Amino acid sequence: MIGGVQLGLLAACVVLFVPMFMAGWHLSRNKMLFFSCALFITLAVGVHLTPYFPSVSGFASSFSSFVVFDHRDSCINLVNEIVWDLKPKNTSSEIYDKNWDWVNSGKVSACEFQKLAKSDASDLLNGSWLVVAGDSQARLVVVSLLRLVLDEQRMDSIRSDLFKRHSDYNIAVDEIGMKLDFIWAPYVSNLTHLVMKYKVKRNYPDVLVMGSGLWHMLHVNNASDYEVRLQLLKNSVVSLLPFSPELSTNGPVTGSVSIRSPHLFWLGMPMLINGMLNTGEKRGKMNDAMWHAYDKALGNSKLLRQTGGPLILLDIQSLTWNCGPRCTVDGMHYDGAVYEAAVHVMLNALLIESHQRL
């Protein structure tokens, strides 16, 4: 083995230095061409020597992995970069067509985000168990997701059950083997309880989308308490597989069922347009200063991936801010196009996280 390495080194020296000497002799008047030749020859030798040096090979592999992960992380950070094109249906109409797409910039375009067709979304979610937990904002996300994977007739048949106030909803889409649960959870403490229930049962959904804040802002109206609740939720989520040290990260726990790592998302709060809120209590308590205090509490909790936490943000704030007052009738709940965009953001994040391409 050592003899082979020594022979390889001798051959490399011959291949490297003899051509460089000859190139230097003939190309001394063109330094750029000389150094280009030298660089090319050095790289070629490096490629041939790499198998003889495991540490070099390992470094190359690590560097390649770093590039892949860096690209993935950068695209996750850009997946919420959505712009809106609002156009009146006609010159005298106050009803607008609401079209959205990802920002047309170099970094965002390189990620190749796309609006998924029904067939693509069905393929991606095939055999999956999804849980969406939260308040009415979460319910509207469920509506948009089901509109994408169900036909219109099926959607009409479930509409009344889906819109029952303050209630859970469950559906199985047998054609693609998808199960979807909506859990009514208006407070962060409800979400923490849900996470702990999954942990106790050691049975986790493939995708878990959570979001809460509006009810706390209206009925508790204390940003510091909200931050504490979010930190408790973060601790519960971190204790989930695969982060918990007492659980295996590569497969089933001995003598137990198979373990999956869930994809985790946080559904941000919408921008509130105070003058359009439909009660005096909401206008008084859910003002701009309080909204920003709650948004700051979310950042301080470090629940989100962008602040070192476990959950990927579905940025409803950005989506609603950019769509604006023409996209809401009550300053809190927005048109379906906003939640449709949020669903496609989630699906593109799932493609990135699961290393898939359509």
Side-chain angles (χ1 to χ4, degrees):
M1 176 64 182
I2 295 178
V5 173
Q6 292 173 337
L7 184 61
L9 285 171
L10 177 62
C13 290
V14 173
V15 172
L16 175 62
F17 294 112
V18 171
M20 284 180 66
F21 174 77
M22 295 176 65
W25 180 265
H26 292 288
L27 304 175
S28 58
R29 295 183 180 180
N30 191 334
K31 293 183 179 180
M32 180 63 71
L33 183 57
F34 169 69
F35 286 113
S36 297
C37 291
L39 178 61
F40 173 78
I41 295 169
T42 303
L43 289 175
V45 171
V47 168
H48 286 86
L49 285 180
T50 295
Y52 293 100
F53 296 92
S55 60
V56 175
S57 181
F59 171 79
S61 177
S62 299
F63 180 77
S64 176
S65 299
F66 170 78
V67 171
V68 171
F69 278 105
D70 182 66
H71 176 72
R72 187 179 74 176
D73 289 343
S74 65
C75 287
I76 285 290
N77 293 334
L78 295 170
V79 73
N80 285 290
E81 296 291 322
I82 299 288
V83 291
W84 291 88
D85 180 20
L86 306 179
K87 294 181 179 179
K89 289 186 177 292
N90 54 63
T91 54
S92 60
S93 176
E94 294 184 0
I95 302 175
Y96 286 75
D97 286 325
K98 304 171 182 71
N99 300 306
W100 61 271
D101 208 338
W102 279 273
V103 173
N104 185 17
S105 71
K107 288 184 178 180
V108 176
S109 299
C111 293
E112 299 181 337
F113 299 132
Q114 55 189 303
K115 299 179 183 180
L116 275 68
K118 176 183 177 181
S119 58
D120 293 328
S122 298
D123 288 342
L124 178 62
L125 300 175
N126 184 44
S128 298
W129 173 25
L130 286 76
V131 173
V132 182
D135 53 22
S136 55
Q137 300 291 318
R139 191 186 297 272
L140 291 170
V141 167
V142 170
V143 172
S144 289
L145 178 57
L146 290 177
R147 279 178 176 161
L148 182 59
V149 298
L150 298 180
D151 59 43
E152 189 173 344
Q153 183 178 0
R154 178 84 183 276
M155 194 68 199
D156 288 340
S157 68
I158 66 172
R159 193 175 300 275
S160 59
D161 290 333
L162 184 54
F163 279 98
K164 285 182 180 177
R165 296 184 67 209
H166 307 169
S167 62
D168 297 344
Y169 178 77
N170 315 97
I171 185 173
V173 185
D174 294 332
E175 303 93 303
I176 59 174
M178 185 189 86
K179 178 185 176 184
L180 174 62
D181 295 334
F182 169 71
I183 308 296
W184 172 247
Y187 293 102
V188 176
S189 56
N190 302 136
L191 300 175
T192 304
H193 176 75
L194 178 67
V195 169
M196 295 309 296
K197 184 178 74 172
Y198 291 141
K199 182 181 179 182
V200 169
K201 292 184 176 181
R202 293 192 175 188
N203 186 27
Y204 311 99
D206 300 291
V207 179
L208 177 57
V209 183
M210 299 183 288
S212 177
L214 294 176
W215 275 57
H216 193 282
M217 189 186 299
L218 179 61
H219 299 294
V220 180
N221 206 236
N222 186 322
S224 297
D225 180 78
Y226 182 62
E227 182 178 329
V228 171
R229 304 284 179 176
L230 289 173
Q231 289 171 343
L232 292 173
L233 173 61
K234 178 201 169 184
N235 293 338
S236 298
V237 171
V238 168
S239 72
L240 279 175
L241 177 107
F243 308 107
S244 182
E246 70 270 14
L247 297 179
S248 168
T249 60
N250 298 317
V253 175
T254 303
S256 184
V257 296
S258 178
I259 301 293
R260 297 183 307 272
S261 174
H263 297 282
L264 304 169
F265 294 91
W266 180 257
L267 190 64
M269 286 193 298
M271 284 299 301
L272 301 177
I273 303 176
N274 191 265
M276 299 179 71
L277 298 178
N278 54 20
T279 69
E281 183 183 17
K282 289 178 181 178
R283 290 190 293 271
K285 292 183 176 180
M286 307 177 83
N287 54 58
D288 290 345
M290 187 57 68
W291 188 97
H292 286 290
Y294 270 64
D295 185 54
K296 183 179 179 181
L298 175 61
N300 291 342
S301 72
K302 301 192 183 304
L303 178 68
L304 302 179
R305 179 82 66 86
Q306 63 204 52
T307 55
L311 274 68
I312 297 172
L313 176 65
L314 302 179
D315 196 354
I316 298 296
Q317 171 194 348
S318 173
L319 292 173
T320 52
W321 173 265
N322 291 325
C323 200
R326 292 170 179 168
C327 295
T328 178
V329 295
D330 65 0
M332 180 184 296
H333 302 94
Y334 283 74
D335 292 349
V338 167
Y339 305 101
E340 172 195 296
V343 166
H344 284 276
V345 167
M346 180 189 74
L347 295 177
N348 277 267
L350 284 174
L351 283 171
I352 295 169
E353 290 287 288
S354 56
H355 309 284
Q356 296 186 56
R357 296 177 66 90
L358 295 176

